[in-house]
Amino acid sequence: MKIALMDSGIGLLAAAAAVRRLRPDADLVLSSDPGSMPWGPRTPEDVTARALAVAEAAAQHRPDALIVACNTASVRALPALRARLEPEVPVIGTVPAIKPAAAGGGPVAIWATPATTGSPYQRGLIGAFAEGVPVTEVACPGLADAVEHGDQEGIDAAIAAAAERTPGDVRAVVLGCTHYELVAERIRTAVQQPGFPPLALHGSAGAVAAQALRRIGELPDPAAPAEGSLTVLLSGSEGGLSATALAYEEGRLLQAVSPAR
């Protein structure tokens, strides 16, 4: 089987690693356009155009499914992507994990890009899945960009600023941008309050990986032979995982199991 993933940049690493853990034998195609990152501040029309270009580059490799491993692209461009690629290629979007976070009763904080925070899309999810649960929307300006470029000081500063705006009694944090999952433990450390129960972090990588397998009629098989290939597309051209990607655990996992060809 072959599963493609798309994002503006390296935010797709978390979902790709999740797929790799569930099916080490799956061929992966990672398609991104890091030169245009971040997509959050761009107009919906611009995001849609860029997302279509990245998706079509992946589609040329004839995947069985495409994971839109980007919250911004899922919010702005999912209907256009599905109209262009389905039914030949099932398209799986990434939705912030508000429902499982709210199931714990809260209080909940949703960390997301400034463009997503307060958006009708996110407010709709809160209304649908978190009724009666205290929810705080926390914008995280600069965090995705700092993660993309491996800017350690920028990551620390953005996390610290967001943590200051996060209520101290929060019991769960939704990671509403795929880039944030790459620094999840740093976020946990910044938000965890002494004397409180362990903070729950809710990302989307595992859920979208499992959904991609369901859409193509496959089951998880973590014990399958680790023989899946890895193709990396940067603005449509084949390349490899960047040094920044390999600075994260998820990137190192992908490289160790199947170096990009």
Side-chain angles (χ1 to χ4, degrees), residues 3 5 32 49 118 186 189 193 208 257:
I3 296 178
L5 302 96
S32 65
R186 292 165 76 168
T189 299
Q193 297 292 322
V208 296
V257 174

Side-chain angles (χ1 to χ4, degrees), residues 42-201:
R42 297 183 179 276
T43 66
E45 295 77 15
D46 192 6
V47 171
T48 298
R50 292 175 186 276
L52 285 169
V54 171
E56 287 172 346
Q60 291 180 9
H61 290 256
R62 308 180 74 83
D64 298 301
L66 172 70
I67 294 174
V68 185
C70 174
N71 293 88
T72 297
S74 296
V75 171
R76 304 294 195 194
L78 198 55
L81 290 168
R82 285 178 168 156
R84 184 71 59 89
L85 298 178
E86 291 187 340
E88 289 81 6
V89 180
V91 177
I92 296 91
T94 298
V95 176
I98 294 171
K99 184 177 182 179
V108 173
I110 305 171
W111 284 31
T113 64
T116 300
T117 301
S119 66
Y121 168 78
Q122 183 159 289
R123 292 281 169 85
L125 293 174
I126 293 170
F129 300 122
E131 184 177 359
V133 176
V135 175
T136 301
E137 296 179 272
V138 180
C140 304
L143 180 54
D145 206 27
V147 170
E148 176 73 21
H149 295 100
D151 176 1
Q152 303 305 317
E153 291 185 1
I155 293 170
D156 288 341
I159 289 176
E164 288 182 1
R165 298 191 297 276
T166 302
D169 63 346
V170 157
R171 300 278 48 85
V173 173
V174 176
L175 304 177
C177 171
T178 55
H179 279 76
Y180 302 173
E181 298 192 47
L182 301 178
V183 291
E185 290 309 312
R186 292 165 76 168
I187 292 172
R188 186 194 306 277
T189 299
V191 178
Q192 178 70 55
Q193 297 292 322
F196 279 77
L199 183 74
L201 297 181

Side-chain angles (χ1 to χ4, degrees), residues 201-213:
L201 297 181
H202 294 272
S204 302
V208 296
Q211 176 66 1
L213 292 180

